[in-house]
Amino acid sequence: MKNKGAKVGLFVLIGLLIFSSGLVLIGSMRKLFVPKIQATATFNDVSGLSKGNNVTYAGVKVGTVESLSFTPNQGVKVTFGITENSQEFIYKDAIIKVSTDGLIGNPLLVITGG
C-alpha cells in the first residue's frame, strides 16, 4: 500500500512538471509573458487580417494583432500589441499597412518609416 501511494505521487509530480514546462515553452514562443504596449490603427480594408496575426517592423516580429472591430463611417479598427523593448525604435509618425508574408502567405501588419 505504501509503495503504491509513492508511485501515484511521483506520477502526479512528473505530470505537473511536464505541464508547467510546456506552458513556459509555449508562452515564450508566443511572447505571452512579455510586457506589451497597445496601439490602434483604422483601415478601410484589412485583407483577411485576423486576431493573432504578426506585426513586423523592418522584417522583425514586434507584436501581434489583438482585436478587430468595425467603427461606423471609418472602417475597421485594429488593436495590436507591440513589445516594450521594440517601442523605442517605432516613432509616432510611422506608417502601418496590411501586407502578406510572402506571395500567398498570412496577412500581417507592417510598420515602416518614422
Side-chain angles (χ1 to χ4, degrees), residues 41-46 68-78:
T42 304
F43 298 98
N44 291 329
D45 182 20
V46 291
L68 292 99
S69 60
F70 292 104
T71 55
N73 301 324
Q74 292 181 358
V76 180
K77 180 180 177 183
V78 178

Side-chain angles (χ1 to χ4, degrees), residues 5-15:
K7 287 180 183 180
V8 170
L10 184 63
F11 182 74
V12 170
L13 181 65
I14 291 172

Side-chain angles (χ1 to χ4, degrees), residues 84-103:
E84 275 188 2
N85 59 359
S86 302
Q87 179 194 9
E88 64 185 279
F89 304 108
I90 302 170
Y91 299 104
K92 288 183 180 181
D93 61 344
I95 299 169
I96 302 172
K97 65 180 182 176
V98 179
S99 184
T100 58
D101 188 18
L103 289 174

Side-chain angles (χ1 to χ4, degrees), residues 31 36 53-56 60-65 80-83:
K31 296 186 179 181
K36 295 180 183 174
N53 287 126
N54 292 334
V55 178
T56 62
V60 178
K61 180 183 173 186
V62 294
T64 56
V65 175
F80 53 96
I82 299 173
T83 56

Side-chain angles (χ1 to χ4, degrees), residues 12-63:
V12 170
L13 181 65
I14 291 172
L16 285 174
L17 285 174
I18 291 171
F19 176 74
S20 61
S21 63
L23 185 66
V24 169
L25 180 67
I26 291 172
S28 65
M29 287 173 47
R30 301 268 301 151
K31 296 186 179 181
L32 295 176
F33 306 118
V34 176
K36 295 180 183 174
I37 298 164
Q38 278 196 339
T40 59
T42 304
F43 298 98
N44 291 329
D45 182 20
V46 291
S47 302
L49 191 71
S50 63
K51 180 180 178 181
N53 287 126
N54 292 334
V55 178
T56 62
Y57 178 73
V60 178
K61 180 183 173 186
V62 294

